[in-house]
Structures are given as structure tokens and as C-alpha cells.
Amino acid sequence: MNVSYRWLSEYIDLSGISPQELAEKLTRGGIEIDNVPSRNLGVSKVVVGYVKSREKHPDADKLSVCTVDAGQETDLQIVCGAPNVAAGQKVPVALVGAKLPGGLEIKRAKLRGVESQGMICSARELGINDKLLPKELQEGIWPLPEESRIGDDILELLALDDAVLELDLTPNRSDCLSMLGVAYEVSALTGRPVRLPNPERELFSTTDKASDHVKVAVEAAELCSQYSARYIKGVKIGPAPLWMQNRLIAAGIRPISNIVDITNYVMLEYGQPMHAFDAGKVAGGRIEVRLAREGETLVSLDGVERKLDPHMLVIADAEKAIGLAGVMGGLNSEVTTETTDIILESAKFDGGSVRRTSRQLGLRSEASSRFEKEVDPGRVTAALDRAAALMARYCGGTVAEGVAEVVVSTPAPVVIDLALSRINGMLGTELSTLEVSTLLSRLGFEMESQEEGKWRVTVPSRRGDITRDVDLVEEVARLYGYDEIPTTPIEGPTTTGALTQAQAIRRELRRVMTHAGVQEAICYSVTSRESAKMFPELSETARPIELAMPMSEERSVLRTVMLPSLLEAASYNLSRKNNDLALFEIGSVYHSDEPVLTRLPREKPRLALLLTGHVRSAGWNRKAEPADFYDAKGLLEAAFDRLGLSPAITFEAARPQGFHPGRTAAVKLQGARGPETIGYVGQLHPDLQRAFDLPDTFVAEIELTPVYEQANRRIEYRTLPRFPSVERDLAVVVDHAVAGGALTEAIRGAAGELLEDVSVFDVYTGERLGAGKKSVALALVYRHPERTLTDEEVTESYAKVLTELEQSFGAELRK
Amino acid sequence: MKDRLEALRREALDRLQTVDDAAALNDLRVHYLGKKGQLTEILRGMGGLTAEERPIIGQVANEVRAAIEEVIAQKQELFDRAETTRRLQAETIDVTLPGKVPAVGAVHPLNKVAQEIEDIFIGMGYSIAEGPEVETDYFNFEALNLPKNHPARDMQDSFYITDEILLRTHTSPVQIRTMKEMNGRTPVKVICPGKVYRRDDDDATHSFMFHQIEGLVIGPNIRMSDLKGTLLQFVREMYGPQMQIRLRPSFFPFTEPSAEVDVTCVRCGGQGCRMCKQTGWIEILGCGMVHPKVLEHGGYDPAEVTGFAFGMGVERIALLKYEIDDIRHFYANDVRFLKQFARM
């Protein structure tokens, strides 16, 4: 809603309050004002001139030479390029020395050898938004009404000496979609009274009766609580008075004709949308408010044919639909220059119904935006009378006596019990009875005192948003001033705040990863259908959940797997020459097996990891270290170790889709029911590497719920060993396929309790070993907690280990 | 014999005087004091001495030995020191060359900011509650006093999956879930961080997916003044003790009274700059007293308890904090961007 400051001052005294101050006051009171642009964008010394004559320019086809009386000592000779300039017109004339928006200064000049003593202006040159003017006036100069006085300042004539308050209204304050509503608000903030417009009922006829010309029937009574119509005879269609057009333009509404402009003007004034039908086109003089018929269509005023649904409310005559109730009129009953008689509508339509219709048709109008927030039932008749009177005054019409109407119901005023203790209790204030009743009375709320500190408050019908006592508490608070509310600490029992286990682990994972040089990424949870198919084992059996109305194909389903988004992030980085990447993300995937969701999906928290390029870049004293499988695995091992999960974690060779079949491990966590796969770590399959234009890339994706559940944060301290350990190295030759992990596990099983640790320290393949063979070197550490080991004990265990390796793996001791 | 010893001393000291390396020094030591050295050689003649002469000659011999040893020791130390100096010189490196810096990653700036906010509220006794991102219409709208066809639903166009299930448009449904879980108990003191989704076209200030953190406090006597106190404390811990807050009346269907909160512009300190459009204030969050209908949906009696709630966009806080020009940077995951947030 754009509010002209000058127009507003007609309803409330604004003296001593500048537009900026008013904007600040309203904003602090809850009606946010973004901007207060001046309507004058830098115009000075532009006056009304009369074009006495127009001659063709001797040397230029497109120019003409005008003699203009601009109220100066002598007539001015002005060269003009506009095709529509003509003798006999009143036009805006920028005198020599005038300034125009954009810093243009008018000087005496010669145009193709002819002197020009000023400039005849278009609307745009005056800084007026010419989109609000008819097409023909956008092209050339702006002819002014004949009655304009020569020499008058254009700023005054076009009311440019004004500022516009651009209201950014919250949905509850639709009462401020009208000048009167804003005036009431200003009144409450300033204590000054509101001056209501006078709907000059004395202008109405006393003989001719509206009911003789128009009958109203409301069929869909639940969607229309009141429909009122007046009949105006013998109007002459023409432009509305300039002052009214100025105000419409200030409000951002295009002037069209006197009748239409008046309906818009009164809508802006009262917040009540109105519609004028050409009575001559309303069959049978009958207005019906009914639901659309099956298959019915209507061409709306914008010329578009609309297919109507049976839930849509229409206005119809005896034969056909002539308007979409509360949204837009029909072309078939439009007011045109031939129109002489008018049926003027003012009604209250159900907000939800208007909203639904306008959304479904994609047709929003000034009217629908007001109806859908519920108009003030108390103003339907007042606005109707006001508009009818304006038509009598400015369109030469005669308003028939009486109103043709159906009033289905008049809502009872809202009455609310309010207690002072409630206000102070909610706000933390110490307001007195007098302060509260003063504040609420300023808003026009009727305060009926009950016992001390209690009221029955009657809410005026314009404030449909006020329905319960907390709404009144807010009114008190905002008028009293939010700044005046004290600042206090919460009273009551103290509470301790802490992270949950999952939250704490999530942060720990972030620490482990970032301390190891991995950057945290956040990717969109909405992705393409294709990406769901890349890693079926990680997507499990889930069907991608589709958005009903996605914004694009790339973001049409919820992700069932995390890695594709990290791959995209990697591609993005590589195309920017960020070649060494270590990225992780902690996020969710969304799994459901239902084709159409009836329950919420499972949101599974996961960790995803990606390495490509080098894990350590080259320096002056070291070589770059390319990322490999063991970097990715090592990061996971570090994380599991920090969470106390190492003993329960195993890595087993696996071949899930999307991964390199020879370089991938399933990550298994020992659960109550044995080891369970909680994710995979491996090299990306070469096909995917190619698809994403990536070099060798190592990735992992791990389910976090079991990690959260089983993480063991307890630190179990063990005293330091008091006896020395004995170390034995062992190198065995085995088949290439024998897993190192299997060897160490077998050794742990065979060596007995004295074995403290076993680790692989070298793996070697070479011709001397024979094809398909490798040598694995292992370091065994023995220790007894209570005494020094004897050589015999170690040798005995070592022999058992060797036997086990020979029997289970065909291992040979390497000499 | 005594003369021979004296002569040996003179000769040895003379020769030692001119020695200039450790090897030659060692040769001389062996030559004079070694098992087969000169001194030993002379002393072999001790057998021919009388009992009276022997101790005298013995003393002289010891003196000669001591004198030679002392000079050798001095020389040795000199040579050692020179050797050390030489070695240190040879080992000198260019300390201006770069060190071996361990790679360090950064927590994503949005999570970094969120963690900071979480920590402040944990310090104030809040727990952290989380809820699903895919929500029912009931939790996302209805229970928050946004019935179907409510005009306020326009404020946040949503991604629906079915008529009843959608991507949550705010973290407020977690408030309802928390209330139901608390089962009527007080006090409730939680903050709810998480991802939310709205049908916005992405541009420099909008992202269809973004992060919110909401707070909810419910108790028998929670006042709007407590809300102001809480927010002031939060803002001062987040941005510094000089911060002020300003509440402006606003509208949210789930709170009444409602307010938008401005804080002292973090860039100009309230003087007025381009970022705050010369007002000295920056809007950072919305808040209000929990609407009675919301309390009822959560299982509380609005006559018995009151509460306040507040919510902020993590992106907005991060954009302001780091003066980032475009919200899309948060989701492009360009490592040149991410790495900038590794600092503590």
C-alpha cells in the first residue's frame, strides 16, 4: 500500500509531522515503512502553458515550432519533438532555468537554427511513472485538462509536492490497506482525531428507486455475507478530475475513466473494493451471487478467457456470469465510453474463497488482495454511498434512491475480557488502569470498566485481526512502545544446558575432520532423480521422494545418498582449478519405501567424505603426496578411534556399485546382532570419475545413527606397563589375495594372551617371490603384565603363529 | 735426569705452542705422554737413582707431566670450540623458508556460526532440540496457528510433497514437538537449529534451502521483558558488550505480541553506513510471546503458562558477521571460500 502524505492529511491533521517523521512513528508502532520517496524527483520552474500555434520546423521533419503562452511577459517560442503536440492544448512547459529529474537544466537553445525558449514535457520527463498513464500519453507530451490555469506551477497542479509512504504490511494488518485505516493508526499514535469523508447523501435522488432497476439474489450465502448495489443513471464517461488521478497515480494505480477511477479511489479510501457494471449489459436487471456452473467460462477484464470451477464464486445476471466475485469483473459487462447507467457493487465476499479462486486462476488484483484478508463489514455500505455520491458529483449521474441488497448476516462485534494483570504479567510492565484504557481508547476500542483492573473491550469492525486478549496486549504494548518494556532476567528454576550425545559426536567428527585438513561442505538436500541411482547400496531400497512442484529437474527429489552432491562440489572446484580437495559433509538422507508418502520418511544422518588430488601439496623440501584409499580409510579410523569404536569396526573388501571393485571396503560395526555394514569407503568407479570429470577420487559414506548409539566416550585408564616388551618381526609369503587384516586377526587368535600388539610394517611384491605372491612383514609385540618374559615363552607363541599362518593361508616364512 | 725432564718440558711446550689442529695435538700427546712416549722413556731410568733422589725426580716428572697436560687440555678445548663453531656454521639453514604446516580444515561458516549461537544459549541453560526436515502440515502450519488458507501462508511458499507432507519452512515445528515431548512440564528452554526450505528463487540474498535457529521458553511466569533480557544478553555475547537491541512490532501467526529485532549495526557501530542504510540498526531476528493457540497445541494451558519464542536465519547472521556479499557462496562449497573460516 502506497500512501500519499497529502491525501492522508485530508483524514487527519498531520501538521508538524514530516513524512519522514510519520514513517518513523508508524514503523516503530508496527506498520513498517520501507521508503518515503518524494513525488517530486527534481522538477522546478515547470508551469502550465497554452499552445497558441504549432508550425512545422523549416529544417526538420519531426520537429515543430510552437508559440506558447506560459503566463510570462511574452509568448515563448518552443521547438518540440512530440508528434502529439497541437494548438489549443494546455501542456507542461519547462521554462528557461527549469530543472527536470536527472539533473537536466533547460537553457535557451537553437534547434536546427530555430530558437527554443523552453521545453514542452512528457509525463516521463516530469518523473511520473508513465506506466500508470494510457499508452498514447506515454509516447508524447502530456496534454493537461483544459481548465488548468495558464502559468500555474505544475508541481501544484499534479500534486507532486508530496511524499509517498510505502507500507510493507504484515498479513494481519489489512485494515491499513486503506487511507482511513492508516488514518486510524496515525490517530492512535498521535492522539489526533480522524476526519471521515462525507458521503454527500443529499446528492441522491428521492424519486427513482434502485430496486426498480436491479434485483439482487445471493445463492451462495455462506460465501457472501452482504451484497449491496446502487443504481446510477445518466453518467457521462470521461476522465476523472485531475486531483483524483494524481492521488491514484501516487498510490500506484492507473487512472482509466471517471467511473472506474472512483471505484478505485473509494477502495483506497475505505479498503472496500467496488465494481461498476454497465447496467445496460446486465441481463434482466438481475444480479446473482452464485457458484460457477460446471464448464462455465468468463472473459475477465484483462481479456483472458477463464475456465471456472464449481467452487468459484461468480456474479451473474439473469443469463451468464459477468464477474469473478472479489477478483475481477467480466469483459461482457465492462464500463465503456458508451455506458450511461451503472450498477455499482459493494459486497463482502468470503476471504478464503476469493483467495482460492485468485490463486487457482493466477489472477491477483487490488480487490482480491483485500477481500482475501477479509474486508471490514462495517464499511460495505459507507463505501457504496461514498462512491455513488462521487459519481453524482463527477460523472453527471443521478443516484437512484435506496440500495438493492441482500444482507445475509451482520457479524456481532467482538467483545473481549481484558485484565490489567494479564497485560503486566505478559509484558513485565507496571502499567496502570488509566494508562491502558487511554491507549486502547485511542485506537477506538470501547472500554467498559468492570471491577478494578478489568474491562470488556469492544473491538471496532475494521480490526478483524483482534480476537483475543493477547491481541489487545500487543496493541497496548506497541502503543506504549516496545522500547519502554523493561529488560529482565528470566525468573524461576535454573536449568543446565548441554549437547545431546548425537550433537556432541557431530561436533567431534567436525573436529577430527577439520584437524586432519578436511573442509566441511554443506550441500543441498534436494537433488536430481539421476543422482539417487548412482550408489544403490547407499540409497538402500529407498524410492526418491519427489517434490510436488519442484523449481527445476536438478532439484526435484530429496537425496537418498550424500555422495553425488559432494561429487558435484568436487567438479565445481576442479573447474576452478582447486585441484587438491578434501571435503566432508555431515547431513541427512531421506528414505522411504512408499510410492506416495503417508508417513514421514526416515531421516538418516550420515557422514560423507571425498579426497582427490593431493593430501599434501609439494613444498620446497617435500614431494606432493597423492590421495589414496588409505588416506580416506585413515580418516575414518581416526574418527572411530576418537569415538571409542575402533575395537568394534572392521573393513572388508566389497564391491558396491559406483565404487572401484578392487579398492573398496565395507565398513562394519559390531552390533548386538553381529557386524553390520554402516557404509563404504573406496575409490570412485572410473565411470563415475569420468562422468564428473574427476581424477582418482576417494570417497566414503557412513551411517551415523549406529555411531551415535555405540560411541564410547568413557576413557578407561590402564597403568603403564612395568615390565619390558619383547618384539619379534615376521615376514611371510602368501597369495596376493590374502588380506593383511586376515593375517593380523589370525595372529591375534593364535598368539595367546602374551601378544600385546601386531601390525603390518611392510608389504612387498616382486619377481623373486613368484607370480601372484606377496610378502607381508609383521611386527609382533609381547609383554607380560607382571614379569619379564622368557625367551622360551615368546618362541613358543611365535611358533604357534607360524603354524597357524601356514595352515590357514599357506604362508611360507620368508628367508 | 732432572735436566732431561726440564729439557723435555721446554721442548714439549715449545712444540705445543705451534700446534694448530686436533690430530697434531694428539700426535704430540702420544709422543710425550703416551705409553711409549718421551716421558715414560726418561722415567725408565729411574731405576738407577738413589732412594733420596727418587722422590725428588718423581715430583719433577709429575710437574712436567701436569704442565704438558694442562697445555694440551687448553689447546684441546680451543680446537673443540673451533670445531663446534665450524659444525654449527655448516649446519646453518634458511629459517625464512616455510615450515611444514599440518593441513587444517574449516568447519563450514554456517555451522561455525550455529555452534557459536548454540554455545551461548547452552551457557544460558538451554538444551538443543532437533526435528525432522520433512514435516507434516500439522506441525509446520496448523499447530502454529496457520490454518489452511490462512493468508500468512503466503509469507513462506512451501515445497509440498503431498497435501499433508512438506519440507519444513521454518524450525518452529520443533517447538511443537518439544512441547508435546515435555508433556506439560516446565520450564521449557530449548533452541532448535536446522535446515529449512522455501520456494524462493535463489539470488544474492535468497536461498531455497537455508538454516534457522529458534528458541523457545515456557514457564509459569515468562514475560516479554524476559524476552528482551534474553535477546540482549545473547546479542552482547555474540557481538560484544556495546550492542543495543531495538524491538519493532511485527506479525507472526505463532506469537502475540510479535516483534522484529534490530541490533546496533555491527559494521558502523550505530553511526550509520551503507550496510544499515544509514539507520544504525540491522534487523536480525523475529520474536514474540507464544500465541495461546500454539501453547494449546503443545499441550499447555495458556491460562497457566506463558512463553516466548524467537528465530533467526543463520545465513543472515553469517553474512553480517563476515560481510559476505552473496548467500550462494555458502552452498557452492568452493574450497577457496571454505578455507577462510579455519580461524578460531
Side-chain angles (χ1 to χ4, degrees), chain A residues 803-815:
Chain A
T803 312
E804 169 63 24
L805 296 186
E806 282 164 3
Q807 286 174 356
S808 300
F809 304 99
E812 282 175 46
L813 192 63
R814 189 171 172 221
K815 280 137 203 140

Side-chain angles (χ1 to χ4, degrees), chain B residues 55-321:
Chain B
I56 296 163
I57 293 301
Q59 198 185 337
V60 173
N62 282 340
E63 279 169 19
V64 170
R65 175 184 290 274
I68 295 173
E69 274 177 346
E70 194 193 328
V71 175
I72 288 177
Q74 281 168 3
K75 277 276 174 189
Q76 186 66 48
E77 199 191 328
L78 223 63
F79 292 149
D80 284 354
R81 214 178 287 153
E83 171 60 22
T84 304
T85 307
R86 219 179 1 261
R87 209 180 66 228
L88 292 181
Q89 213 144 38
E91 285 171 0
T92 298
I93 57 167
D94 181 353
V95 296
T96 64
L97 290 174
K100 295 181 189 173
V101 184
V104 176
V107 170
H108 192 284
L110 293 176
N111 286 333
K112 188 177 169 67
V113 167
Q115 285 184 179
E116 236 173 279
I117 296 170
E118 286 169 13
D119 288 341
I120 291 172
F121 281 101
I122 286 173
M124 290 161 74
Y126 288 65
S127 308
I128 302 178
E130 291 169 296
E133 293 166 34
V134 185
E135 260 297 3
T136 62
D137 189 86
Y138 172 78
F139 278 109
N140 193 74
F141 286 132
E142 295 223 46
L144 291 162
N145 196 26
L146 274 149
K148 289 218 155 106
N149 265 327
H150 192 288
R153 284 200 182 189
D154 278 0
M155 290 165 88
Q156 29 184 273
D157 275 5
S158 338
F159 285 108
Y160 273 91
I161 293 162
T162 69
D163 284 348
E164 292 303 324
I165 296 178
L166 73 162
L167 298 185
R168 67 177 174 192
T169 57
H170 43 196
T171 44
S172 314
V174 186
Q175 295 186 14
I176 303 288
R177 289 180 177 276
T178 304
M179 282 190 247
K180 286 189 189 281
E181 232 163 74
M182 287 295 283
N183 206 9
R185 279 168 313 191
T186 59
V188 176
K189 255 171 122 179
V190 291
I191 56 164
C192 321
K195 289 182 177 131
V196 301
Y197 305 82
R198 292 187 196 173
R199 283 184 62 89
D200 252 334
D201 284 325
D202 290 358
D203 60 27
T205 54
H206 294 86
S207 172
F208 77 94
M209 177 178 105
F210 58 103
H211 292 72
Q212 274 192 340
I213 294 186
E214 294 205 350
L216 173 72
V217 173
I218 294 174
N221 184 30
I222 297 296
R223 304 157 298 184
M224 195 153 168
S225 56
D226 301 335
L227 170 61
K228 281 183 78 173
T230 300
L231 294 177
L232 187 62
Q233 188 182 345
F234 160 65
V235 163
R236 288 188 171 169
E237 287 193 33
M238 185 83 188
Y239 296 109
Q242 75 288 358
M243 296 297 286
Q244 297 292 340
I245 60 169
R246 179 176 88 163
L247 270 64
R248 276 179 293 111
S250 187
F251 170 75
F252 306 106
F254 25 90
T255 49
E256 189 81 22
S258 304
E260 273 173 313
V261 182
D262 299 333
V263 300
T264 313
C265 177
V266 289
R267 185 171 183 181
C268 63
Q271 300 303 301
C273 66
R274 207 165 46 85
M275 189 159 94
C276 60
K277 293 184 192 151
Q278 308 305 328
T279 62
W281 295 99
I282 295 269
E283 183 189 323
I284 61 157
L285 51 78
C287 65
M289 301 300 290
V290 181
H291 196 284
K293 283 190 189 165
V294 175
L295 287 172
E296 280 165 11
H297 277 290
Y300 289 87
D301 180 353
E304 299 290 321
V305 299
T306 48
F308 67 70
F310 56 86
M312 63 196 112
V314 180
E315 277 78 357
R316 177 155 178 79
I317 306 269
L319 287 172
L320 292 174
K321 188 175 166 101

Side-chain angles (χ1 to χ4, degrees), chain A residues 514-535:
Chain A
T514 55
H515 290 188
V518 191
Q519 311 295 332
E520 186 178 25
I522 298 181
C523 303
Y524 294 127
S525 349
V526 186
T527 180
S528 72
R529 220 153 298 192
E530 274 58 51
S531 66
K533 297 177 194 149
M534 282 176 212
F535 300 95

Side-chain angles (χ1 to χ4, degrees), chain A residues 115-184:
Chain A
E115 181 168 290
S116 185
Q117 301 156 330
M119 177 174 136
I120 303 177
C121 303
S122 68
R124 188 185 304 161
E125 282 157 349
L126 294 173
I128 290 170
N129 180 358
D130 64 1
K131 296 223 167 51
L132 298 175
L133 296 177
K135 266 256 150 49
E136 62 271 20
L137 294 187
Q138 291 177 24
E139 298 303 322
I141 53 110
W142 189 6
L144 301 169
E146 278 172 33
E147 62 272 21
S148 313
R149 281 214 317 269
I150 294 169
D152 273 5
D153 191 341
I154 206 81
L155 293 177
E156 195 43 50
L157 186 76
L158 299 178
L160 293 179
D161 243 345
D162 193 6
V164 175
L165 285 74
E166 295 179 2
L167 272 52
D168 184 9
L169 290 174
T170 52
N172 61 324
R173 292 306 305 273
S174 55
D175 60 298
C176 286
L177 284 171
S178 67
M179 299 302 290
L180 281 174
V182 177
Y184 276 112

